[in-house]
Amino acid sequence: MRAETKTTYRSFQYFYLTAFLSNGSLFPLLAVFLQEEKQLNSVLVGLIVAAIPLVNTVMEPVWGLLSDYTRKPLRLLAAALAAAAALAFIYLFYDHYALLLIGMLSIAVFQAAVIPLSDSMALGFVEQHKLVYGNIRLWGAIGFAVASFLMGYITDMAGSLDWIFVAYGVCLLLALPALRKFPRQGYDIAAVSMKEGLQTLRKNKPFLLFLASNFLIFGPILANNFYFGTFILAAGGTLSAVGIAFFLGAGSEAPFMKLAHRIIGKMSILHVVILSASVSGARWVLYMFDPPLAVIFITTIIQGLSIGLYVPAALLYIRSAAPSSVQATAIALYSAVGTGLGNAFFNLIGGVVIETATVYHMYGLFAVTTFLGVVILFVVKRMTNALTGKRGIA
């Protein structure tokens, strides 16, 4: 590897480390911050955290269009990092609910630019130089795990959750120097007609059913990331315990992601999706019964099996099930339904259930919807076998 290429490669790794250090500093404790520091009830907290994925769903393609139009992704990315950091520092001074909601929406608007724009440049770079993207993105997983661990201890010792916004903003600013070594352009993807893609995919019943199952399975997984801190505190844990739990969970995902392709080769894609989704469902069932903290910590390690396998296997199924001409549309729909709508819906409904009942009832709801999603996956498997007969898919 040439010295210049190696420098750029290290710059990408450093960027993902700091960018995900910021995410790991803020989002695991955001719901707890809104409840403890701002004294919001769970419904109002749910409205705020549900708005974040909806903003991401809308703004990620907008930032992509701006990048394509201006041909200046680096300037856009630098502006987004600086703006999100500044808004995070200001957020600490908000007290009224309207300001807390609008402030978080504003942060989310600029946060939505960080990963799509950096991914675009990273993908173009690794393709040009025949490198492995996973070895760059892996530093993001490390950053998230380390930040969640450290912020649990820092907030516990400081006696204030305000530090999560300080750390978030500082880490975003620390990411800025890496941009000097980034390539000037991103990864060009062939234009695809969204209308044509939707018309093709709506006739694909297994694909549509898979989207429904993804909504029911992945939505609770993502909502858990916001409410898991609340659950740990309800179980008698401390903020330090929240940090340890997130560290174990996030840290366990990377090894399973590395093994995912090998496991899929032995079990088939849908079998892996069903297995990982069932593990998630079993975890939610366990949480219904108020397990001791030691058991909760053990189950966070199982998160590597449920998420580390589900994410790559689900994406592989989408690519296998959709015709090559509409794969970009298929992946966009998959992201919008699970990461966007599913995330938002279960964040909102989770807050409502916590407010009207308990966090344990919320996990009961998550268990029901997850196993309903698993039932749909068995239907998808049967339909896929009947339509294709390809063992590699079903």
Side-chain angles (χ1 to χ4, degrees):
M1 188 186 299
R2 289 170 27 188
E4 183 180 354
T5 302
K6 188 174 183 179
T7 300
T8 304
Y9 187 64
R10 298 302 182 201
S11 296
F12 273 116
Q13 291 178 323
Y14 169 77
F15 178 86
Y16 278 90
L17 175 67
T18 51
F20 279 85
L21 276 170
S22 68
N23 287 349
S25 298
L26 178 61
F27 295 114
L29 290 170
L30 177 59
V32 179
F33 168 84
L34 294 171
Q35 289 173 321
E36 300 292 331
E37 299 289 338
K38 300 302 179 180
Q39 300 299 306
L40 299 183
N41 65 44
S42 297
V43 174
L44 297 179
V45 171
L47 286 170
I48 291 178
V49 297
I52 296 172
L54 289 180
V55 170
N56 288 339
T57 302
V58 173
M59 288 305 302
E60 284 184 5
V62 171
W63 284 107
L65 290 172
L66 285 173
S67 177
D68 291 340
Y69 178 74
T70 63
R71 295 293 177 183
K72 296 178 179 178
L74 280 178
R75 290 189 180 182
L76 289 173
L77 182 54
L81 289 168
L87 289 167
F89 296 140
I90 297 171
Y91 196 84
L92 292 172
F93 300 99
Y94 298 151
D95 284 316
H96 296 293
Y97 178 74
L99 288 175
L100 291 169
L101 176 60
I102 294 170
M104 186 52 61
L105 291 177
S106 301
I107 293 173
V109 165
F110 292 100
Q111 171 69 36
V114 176
I115 300 306
L117 294 183
S118 57
D119 273 353
S120 174
M121 286 179 277
L123 286 168
F125 173 76
V126 297
E127 184 177 84
Q128 179 183 355
H129 297 282
K130 309 299 181 186
L131 299 171
V132 179
Y133 170 73
N135 289 339
I136 293 176
R137 190 63 184 265
L138 178 64
W139 286 91
I142 294 171
F144 190 95
V146 170
S148 56
F149 175 75
L150 290 178
M151 290 313 298
Y153 273 103
I154 291 172
T155 53
D156 216 7
M157 289 187 295
S160 172
L161 286 157
D162 290 353
W163 289 101
I164 65 175
F165 282 92
V166 175
Y168 173 79
V170 168
C171 290
L172 288 179
L173 295 178
L174 288 175
L176 282 170
L179 303 186
R180 291 180 297 179
K181 300 297 182 181
F182 275 25
R184 314 310 290 181
Q185 292 297 332
Y187 181 63
D188 292 327
I189 300 175
V192 177
S193 168
M194 180 65 76
K195 182 178 180 180
E196 179 184 344
L198 291 173
Q199 289 176 343
T200 300
L201 291 170
R202 73 178 184 179
K203 301 174 185 177
N204 189 331
K205 291 183 179 180
F207 173 81
L208 295 178
L209 284 173
F210 189 87
L211 289 185
S213 73
N214 184 59
F215 176 90
L216 295 168
I217 293 167
F218 204 52
I221 288 174
L222 294 173
N224 173 67
N225 289 337
F226 283 99
Y227 291 116
F228 193 51
T230 302
F231 174 64
I232 293 287
L233 295 179
T238 63
L239 293 175
S240 297
V242 175
I244 294 171
F246 271 99
F247 175 78
L248 292 173
S252 69
E253 293 175 22
F256 282 100
M257 285 188 175
K258 281 197 169 185
L259 294 172
H261 286 277
R262 187 179 303 175
I263 296 172
I264 289 169
K266 294 182 178 181
M267 295 181 61
S268 85
I269 296 173
L270 280 177
H271 281 139
V272 172
V273 176
I274 290 170
L275 171 64
S276 55
S278 299
V279 170
S280 288
R283 184 184 177 193
W284 309 147
V285 170
L286 179 64
Y287 287 177
M288 290 169 54
F289 298 102
D290 188 15
L293 278 174
V295 174
I296 295 174
F297 285 144
I298 293 172
T299 61
T300 59
I301 300 174
I302 297 174
Q303 178 174 311
L305 174 61
S306 60
I307 300 177
L309 292 183
Y310 180 88
V311 172
L315 187 57
L316 282 174
Y317 176 81
I318 293 295
R319 293 180 61 186
S320 301
S324 58
S325 60
V326 294
Q327 282 196 0
T329 304
I331 292 172
L333 280 174
Y334 162 74
S335 178
V337 169
T339 307
L341 297 178
N343 191 359
F345 175 80
F346 284 100
N347 275 323
L348 177 58
I349 201 69
V352 172
V353 173
I354 292 173
E355 182 64 22
T356 56
T358 67
V359 68
Y360 309 110
H361 289 86
M362 181 194 75
Y363 282 112
L365 173 65
F366 287 1
V368 171
T369 59
T370 297
F371 283 115
L372 179 58
V374 171
V375 171
I376 294 174
L377 284 175
F378 277 107
V379 176
V380 172
K381 181 177 180 297
R382 187 180 64 186
M383 294 176 68
T384 303
N385 283 337
L387 290 172
T388 68
K390 294 181 180 179
R391 293 170 58 93
I393 297 177

